[in-house]
Amino acid sequence: MKDSEIQKRLAENLKRVRKAQKLTQFELAEKASISDETIKNIELCKTWTSEKTLAQLTEALKIDIHTLFLPVSSTFDKKLSDDKKQIKANIVENLRRFIETSLKEIEAE
């Protein structure tokens, strides 16, 4: 794999993770204690980033560094899909409990 392909993968994944967490470039920059210009340049493949900056980004995003280098639309998209399924299941379970509790209260009256 060429350096340019790795850089493009980093750029795409950084942007995808940032947006999934509903962060602007500026907000991520603040969380990572780097400039928003650095975020912009990484996402536009204008600059390669240092190990220190990568560490700051992964810490700010609370992700493993490997996430930034995964093939596009692989494990990351599956994880998001799994997370959405889990959230829906939790909502359904909470609604079921609420309905059951409400019905018991009505029957007790």
Side-chain angles (χ1 to χ4, degrees), residues 3-99:
D3 286 350
S4 61
E5 292 169 336
I6 294 170
Q7 187 176 12
K8 183 178 179 188
R9 187 178 284 182
L10 169 65
E12 290 173 349
N13 286 331
L14 177 61
K15 187 174 186 177
R16 181 177 299 133
V17 172
R18 176 179 60 78
K19 287 187 172 193
Q21 294 187 18
K22 296 183 170 122
L23 295 170
T24 64
Q25 289 177 340
F26 181 78
E27 290 168 333
L28 176 55
E30 281 190 331
K31 283 182 77 168
S33 300
I34 57 178
S35 74
D36 57 327
E37 191 68 24
T38 299
I39 303 290
K40 178 182 172 184
N41 287 333
I42 294 169
E43 289 185 1
L44 293 175
C45 294
K46 288 187 175 182
T47 187
W48 189 245
T49 186
S50 69
E51 291 174 12
K52 179 182 176 186
T53 301
L54 281 174
Q56 289 170 283
L57 288 169
T58 56
E59 187 175 321
L61 293 167
K62 298 188 183 344
I63 58 170
D64 186 72
I65 193 165
H66 297 100
T67 304
L68 294 176
F69 295 97
L70 291 171
V72 175
S73 74
S74 65
T75 305
F76 180 73
D77 288 338
K78 183 179 181 326
K79 171 127 176 57
L80 284 179
S81 178
D82 291 346
D83 287 349
K84 287 179 183 177
K85 288 177 186 173
Q86 185 60 46
I87 290 168
K88 286 179 184 178
N90 289 344
I91 290 170
V92 168
E93 179 61 23
N94 286 329
L95 283 173
R96 184 186 62 73
R97 286 183 190 156
F98 174 76
I99 291 169

